[in-house]
Amino acid sequence: MKTNYSRRDFLAMSAKGVGAAVVSYGLMGCSSSDDDDEQTGVSVKFMHGVASGDPTHSSIILWTRITPEMDAETRVSWEIATDEAFSQLIGNGEMVTSQDRDYTVKVDAIGLDAGTRYYYRFKSGTTVSPIGQAKTLPEGAIDSVKLAVMSCANFPAGHFNVYQLASNMDDLDAVIHLGDYIYEYGRGGYASENAAELGREVMPAGELFTLADYRTRYGQYRSDASLTALHAKVPFITVWDDHEVANDAWADGAENHNEAEGDFEARKTAALQAYFEWLPIRPWKEGNHEEIYRSFSFGNLLDLHMLDTRLLARDKQLDYADYIDDATNTIDSAGFMADVTSTERTMLGTEQLQWLQGHMLNSTAKWQVLGQQVLMGSMMLPAAIATQKLSVYQYAELGALAQLAARAAANDPTLTAQEYSFLIGNQHKLTPEVMALLQLPSIPYNLDAWDGYAYEREVILATAKAKGTNLVVIAGDTHNAWANELTDSHGDAVGVGFATSSVSSPGLEYYLGISADQQAVTEAGIVDLVAGLKYTNLRDRGFMVLTFDNEMVRSDWHYVDTLMSTEFSEATDKRFSAVTKAGEKTITPVSAS
């Protein structure tokens, strides 16, 4: 254990934000709060478990929250040990928490050894928290890193069985949570059809606007046994997405916010304060709740750069309604392309983009991983599908019929009698409106993703290409699983993108009405339509595990069979695995195991 700190060490720790949490310097002697509840006269409960996060080579954030029987400043102590019995204690200390920080406790335990598992717990009076496990980042030459990736947990949509499934794994180095840790909607809102039956109606009952609202919602989420179990077992590395504030947010507003709901900046400030209170994340400095982009070094194998593509600097999303003439089903393609490729359009902002480029160019790790919210792979779909004028199934059926009609009009001698008969029986479906839809160009299906911010995506890909980086971009947000090969505007392969399904939020099966019997054909149709797309799952809830070594990265997608009961199993028939070898930019499916 490291115990000596120079002035340079102290300044470095201050720069990365240890001043925003109480700092544990090692053994401090017996904690006075061990005696009894007479310290404050207030008894407490640990109702929200414990958590660790933002590990470095020598430190990690430890978190808990107390629920006191009455509002009062309350003293809480902590202990860190190398064994679960706490016979090998290597650090302890104490702090006072209060209503001002929603009774949360956040400790930056420093002076730890690299690549080491620790056990920690908290005490208040005679009440002891559950025991948590924490793990620091490894240094030097290492063989492998294993990360679970998840996002989009909507409490009323179903039980958090995905968290429970991940907590059953014993070899994870960290959980990467890519946002939508909570949702801001009120009761009866998004994906709440079964909430009352499941006993998962949200608290508070209304939509979230104030600091008290967001704190209450976090408290409800953090009371969930499956989420509590995962937090206690594995350190989290997190970024937010939109629903930590409001749906489809950008820097200055959100789709789910209007002027009648008050000042958006005040709402965002409250939401982000609650985020920092309730998650084991290390702020850069006291009171800074807006900058979360940061890097994590897993020895010489992997550098993980966590980005904020959502709230810091993002421009408002483009809207197809501004470019499509519904009367004629025509698109102003020139105007749209000019706007979507504009060099003035930003998702990261200049400062964050330059920071990312510097880290990518200076890194010596084998793999460069971008942990961020939205899909980077180009997802170009026929406009009729992207704008939901036609389903994938309808597009394929009508497109095939239109091809038969074109062959018949050209007197194609290879047209069979059976094909001609089918055409005659179905030609009435090829109305002028349908033909106009079929002739629309391919466009990005999701302008909230990187397809809506094309210039900055090119800058990032050019940076990776210049360095010859083994680039892996991970994403959440869409509630569906994806695997894309990433190419730049010149058609050059640059890296790969892996996206996780959601913990509980419904995906395209919900929005497009994809039934179970149409899942396979729809997924195959989309993979066939989208260049560079090698895999998708459009229906199942789950998470992704990335295993890196010096030869390759392997992605394993895991799914659960139900959210409607806490009695569940892994849907092993849905499991899918793919690998990308170092030095290559291709995705190869492999047998799941």
Side-chain angles (χ1 to χ4, degrees):
M1 182 182 71
K2 300 175 183 177
T3 57
N4 297 319
Y5 299 96
S6 66
R7 181 175 180 274
R8 175 179 292 182
D9 293 329
F10 178 79
L11 291 175
M13 289 185 294
S14 297
K16 72 180 182 182
V18 295
V22 174
V23 181
S24 167
Y25 288 98
L27 287 169
M28 300 296 192
C30 294
S31 169
S32 58
S33 65
D34 286 344
D35 299 336
D36 52 40
D37 292 332
E38 294 178 3
Q39 286 289 323
T40 62
V42 177
S43 63
V44 307
K45 295 180 180 179
F46 291 94
M47 298 176 61
H48 301 94
V50 298
S52 68
D54 274 16
T56 73
H57 302 128
S58 60
S59 66
I60 193 164
I61 293 288
L62 308 178
W63 180 97
T64 193
R65 182 185 187 270
I66 61 168
T67 303
E69 63 177 355
M70 59 182 291
D71 288 337
E73 290 190 347
T74 306
R75 192 176 302 277
V76 180
S77 65
W78 66 87
E79 295 177 332
I80 312 158
T82 54
D83 67 310
E84 196 169 5
F86 288 85
S87 61
Q88 302 296 321
L89 197 67
I90 56 92
N92 66 356
E94 62 182 27
M95 67 169 286
V96 174
T97 188
S98 69
Q99 191 176 29
D100 289 344
R101 57 190 301 153
D102 203 18
Y103 293 102
T104 58
V105 176
K106 189 179 287 189
V107 178
D108 205 339
I110 66 175
L112 308 179
D113 292 327
T116 302
R117 184 177 302 279
Y118 292 94
Y119 298 86
Y120 63 95
R121 64 187 177 188
F122 297 85
K123 299 180 182 179
S124 183
T126 57
T127 306
V128 183
S129 75
I131 295 172
Q133 299 181 45
K135 188 176 182 182
T136 51
L137 299 185
E139 283 186 311
I142 59 173
D143 295 328
S144 66
V145 170
K146 194 168 190 177
L147 307 171
V149 182
M150 36 190 72
S151 72
C152 304
N154 190 25
F155 192 87
H159 294 288
F160 288 163
N161 294 337
V162 170
Y163 286 142
Q164 188 64 48
L165 182 63
S167 73
N168 295 336
M169 302 182 71
D170 294 322
D171 56 351
L172 294 175
D173 292 300
V175 168
I176 312 301
H177 201 293
L178 298 177
D180 292 347
Y181 187 95
I182 65 167
Y183 279 72
E184 82 282 12
Y185 299 112
R187 289 186 187 175
Y190 169 65
S192 297
E193 295 86 347
N194 301 301
E197 177 185 351
L198 296 175
R200 294 180 73 85
E201 291 184 302
V202 293
M203 297 174 57
E207 188 177 338
L208 309 184
F209 296 107
T210 68
L211 178 59
D213 291 342
Y214 285 100
R215 283 172 165 175
T216 299
R217 187 66 55 86
Y218 276 105
Q220 181 180 40
Y221 270 65
R222 293 300 298 273
S223 300
D224 183 273
S226 297
L227 178 54
T228 299
L230 185 57
H231 266 300
K233 192 168 185 178
V234 190
F236 273 51
I237 298 173
T238 69
V239 288
W240 51 56
D241 196 12
D242 52 339
H243 289 288
E244 284 86 352
V245 181
N247 181 56
D248 282 354
W250 63 92
D252 304 315
E255 178 276 334
N256 191 27
H257 185 89
N258 58 63
E259 290 183 3
E261 294 171 332
D263 180 64
F264 177 76
E265 190 63 30
R267 181 182 188 178
K268 184 169 86 167
T269 298
L272 300 192
Q273 178 180 334
Y275 182 91
F276 271 94
E277 288 173 344
W278 279 87
L279 288 177
I281 182 174
R282 179 183 288 110
W284 284 104
K285 62 181 179 181
E286 184 71 45
N288 184 345
H289 298 148
E290 295 202 0
E291 293 180 312
I292 59 166
Y293 58 91
R294 60 214 193 276
S295 283
F296 299 85
S297 175
F298 292 78
N300 67 342
L301 186 62
L302 184 156
D303 280 350
L304 170 66
H305 311 301
M306 298 293 283
L307 307 179
D308 182 355
T309 65
R310 179 59 67 182
L311 298 175
L312 184 64
R314 176 196 277 257
D315 288 330
K316 185 177 180 179
Q317 299 88 339
L318 298 177
D319 188 342
Y320 278 128
D322 296 329
Y323 304 93
I324 297 178
D325 186 334
D326 287 330
T328 61
N329 278 327
T330 58
I331 296 178
D332 178 10
S333 298
F336 173 76
M337 290 305 298
D339 290 344
V340 79
T341 60
S342 170
T343 59
E344 300 299 315
R345 188 162 177 73
T346 186
M347 184 183 280
L348 299 180
T350 301
E351 183 177 333
Q352 185 179 189
L353 180 59
Q354 291 177 349
W355 169 89
L356 174 60
Q357 288 181 281
H359 275 68
M360 291 176 66
L361 292 172
N362 291 321
S363 174
T364 58
K366 186 79 172 184
W367 297 92
Q368 298 286 297
V369 182
L370 308 189
Q372 48 88 67
Q373 295 83 342
V374 293
L375 290 178
M376 183 167 278
S378 181
M379 299 289 290
M380 303 290 287
L381 286 173
I385 297 174
T387 58
Q388 298 185 27
K389 303 287 187 181
L390 295 175
S391 70
V392 174
Y393 181 79
Q394 289 171 326
Y395 184 87
E397 179 186 38
L398 294 170
L401 188 61
Q403 289 180 346
L404 288 179
R407 290 171 60 194
N411 295 315
D412 182 354
T414 65
L415 189 69
T416 66
Q418 184 179 10
E419 289 173 330
Y420 185 75
S421 176
F422 179 80
L423 174 62
I424 295 301
N426 291 276
Q427 195 164 15
H428 65 280
K429 297 178 181 179
L430 296 177
T431 64
E433 292 77 17
V434 165
M435 294 302 296
L437 288 171
L438 293 175
Q439 291 166 12
L440 290 174
S442 289
I443 58 176
Y445 104 92
N446 183 4
L447 294 177
D448 186 58
W450 281 99
D451 273 337
Y453 302 80
Y455 170 71
E456 279 192 348
R457 176 172 60 187
E458 285 302 306
V459 173
I460 294 171
L461 294 179
T463 303
K465 187 164 69 171
K467 183 71 185 292
T469 298
N470 289 308
L471 177 67
V472 177
V473 182
I474 56 177
D477 181 65
T478 68
H479 311 166
N480 297 116
W482 310 90
N484 296 79
E485 294 173 350
L486 304 179
T487 56
D488 63 15
S489 59
H490 304 290
D492 295 333
V494 180
V496 296
F498 297 129
T500 181
S501 183
S502 63
V503 172
S504 63
S505 297
L508 286 181
E509 85 285 356
Y510 183 84
Y511 302 106
L512 302 183
I514 302 171
S515 60
D517 61 345
Q518 290 294 319
Q519 178 180 358
V521 68
T522 303
E523 289 169 353
I526 289 181
V527 170
D528 186 58
L529 286 169
V530 178
L533 182 63
K534 300 302 178 182
Y535 166 69
T536 187
N537 180 303
L538 301 178
R539 188 176 175 80
D540 299 294
R541 310 281 69 81
F543 69 104
M544 180 171 71
V545 174
L546 298 177
T547 305
F548 296 85
D549 61 30
N550 283 288
E551 302 299 323
M552 66 180 186
V553 54
R554 173 174 172 140
S555 182
D556 295 287
W557 285 268
H558 300 265
Y559 304 98
V560 297
D561 64 350
T562 185
L563 303 181
M564 295 298 105
S565 167
T566 54
E567 297 294 324
F568 75 97
S569 300
E570 180 176 359
T572 54
D573 59 317
K574 297 296 182 67
R575 190 184 297 176
F576 187 84
S577 302
V579 300
T580 294
K581 294 182 179 179
E584 300 181 5
K585 317 297 182 184
T586 57
I587 295 172
T588 304
V590 296
S591 175
S593 62

